[in-house]
Amino acid sequence: MIIPFTHDGETGNVTVALEQVDQPLTIGKHPESRGFPCCTAVVDYPGRGYRALFGWVQLVQSTDNASGGVDFDMDPFVLFEDAPSPYAFFGVSPTLFDAPSRAERKPMAWLAHSFLAWTPLDRAQRHVLPVAGFSWGFDIDATGHITLRLSKALTAVEWDRHLPYLSTCHPAWKFDEWQAGTA
């Protein structure tokens, strides 16, 4: 799937690839993660340097989270889960990579909302402004079979629904409503 976006007067794309992991060791995972999903989202943007600084905000709704799958939770990169930033990945045209798995294959539903966003460097308070988003995930049935959920583009509606939660989790940051096409 390719999602176009506009930022700073330039058009870019996010290319999303979702696949089932056949050889876990090639992506740094343990053998038990065979069959789970692997998501890679690559940013192609003509701007350079600071103009191409973006971050990925990812939230997950899973039946094995604290709310039993009712609510979304932040999904920070494990090495930085205690960092006070909403971004799981951040950098010059950063790639989102995620390969969730579980030690046991119990029935569950897992859905991610992944948003590419930017933060202006010239403001006193840190702002997060989304430019693109997509959902993806997987389900495990009672027999342990894993089915991938195809990725689909998200809109301002999905981002805006997460604003109260994002603001609560990261009070030092301001999360703006998604103004599609104006970034």
Side-chain angles (χ1 to χ4, degrees):
M1 173 174 65
I2 298 174
I3 305 168
F5 68 91
T6 302
H7 170 66
D8 201 20
E10 301 276 1
T11 300
N13 293 302
V14 174
T15 301
V16 179
L18 184 61
E19 59 187 304
Q20 268 183 305
V21 176
D22 292 327
Q23 300 198 12
L25 296 177
T26 64
I27 62 164
K29 294 289 285 191
H30 51 80
E32 295 80 21
S33 63
R34 181 181 321 279
F36 279 91
C38 171
C39 180
T40 305
V42 177
V43 176
D44 180 22
Y45 179 71
R48 297 179 42 191
Y50 296 122
R51 289 184 64 218
L53 277 179
F54 296 101
W56 285 101
V57 175
Q58 183 163 280
L59 301 105
V60 171
Q61 180 184 51
S62 177
T63 53
D64 68 348
N65 72 6
S67 72
V70 174
D71 298 319
F72 279 84
D73 292 327
M74 294 300 299
D75 188 27
F77 184 58
V78 68
L79 295 177
F80 308 114
E81 61 191 349
D82 59 342
S85 171
Y87 291 117
F89 299 92
F90 189 87
V92 175
S93 297
T95 296
L96 176 144
F97 175 81
D98 196 8
S101 62
R102 300 293 189 270
E104 294 184 53
R105 294 190 183 201
K106 297 179 184 176
M108 70 175 298
W110 191 98
L111 176 66
H113 280 183
S114 305
F115 297 96
L116 180 66
W118 69 288
T119 294
L121 298 176
D122 61 351
R123 296 189 185 174
Q125 184 179 18
R126 294 178 179 142
H127 284 240
V128 177
L129 300 117
V131 296
F134 67 97
S135 68
W136 65 283
F138 67 96
D139 297 292
I140 303 176
D141 69 18
T143 68
H145 177 75
I146 299 168
T147 303
L148 302 188
R149 293 186 188 191
L150 297 179
S151 55
K152 72 173 198 171
L154 296 176
T155 67
V157 171
E158 288 88 9
W159 170 261
D160 292 350
R161 283 186 188 143
H162 293 299
L163 292 178
Y165 173 74
L166 289 167
S167 296
T168 299
C169 287
H170 298 283
W173 293 74
K174 182 173 182 342
F175 296 88
D176 290 359
E177 290 183 351
W178 188 343
Q179 305 294 320
T182 62

